[in-house]
Amino acid sequence: MIGCLVIHGYTGGPYEVEPLVNYLHEHTDWHIEVPTLPGHGRQLDLKGKSHKNWISAAEEALKGLMGKYERIYVIGFSMGGMISAYLAAKYKVDKLVLLAPAGKYLSFKQIAVDAGGFVADGVRGKLGSNKLYNHYRNKLGRVPFKANLEFLKLVKFTRGYLKKVESEVLIAQGQMDGMVPYKTAYYLDKEITSERKEVVFFERSRHLICLGDDRETLNGMVLQFLTK
């Protein structure tokens, strides 16, 4: 049996990766867990939360899966990608998927711009992104400055583990990503020393790659990578 852990991004929640998770549920019999990191989710409450809290929550979820399943896959989006890489370096993870991993930095102002773009692209009706747009538009005022510092601490901490990743890795990056520059994928490809790596760029995708125009192609590619 296979256990799959999916980790969302900074100031986000499981909704960011929902289309991919639903696709994997439909096409596999895996046990898939998508924990909400402390202070995250639809109702943000990041005051007093640290990067150690976020890493610990993901780590505990992984340990729970490792005690029950023979094979472990970890998928991480944005900040969740960096947490996933850390977990893969520290534990036995059979396959690792990094979606727009925040290996350099995030442009916090780009959040609302990207959300507006999704509405304009017509995703609203299908994914309920009217709520998503409002969530992102209002998000910046509810994120404490200290939380942004904790995010930067997390990126710095997890970077040090990239060279220890030995899992087979798929890195997926949107070329229109205004929050994490697409060249970050090249940086991660260089830093991660695993001999089995794939890097794929999606021309029409912004940062929220699982909700973008390329999501169907992305879903199929992730499944193919994990099942081959």
Side-chain angles (χ1 to χ4, degrees), residues 25-40:
H25 273 303
E26 292 170 6
H27 291 84
T28 73
D29 60 354
W30 305 342
H31 177 83
I32 303 173
E33 287 199 13
V34 194
T36 300
L37 302 180
H40 288 74

Side-chain angles (χ1 to χ4, degrees), residues 9-13 15-16 40-41 44 46 111 135-136 139 143 148:
Y10 175 62
T11 72
Y15 57 85
E16 295 177 315
H40 288 74
L44 288 178
L46 292 168
I111 293 174
H135 175 77
Y136 273 109
K139 178 183 289 189
V143 177
N148 292 338

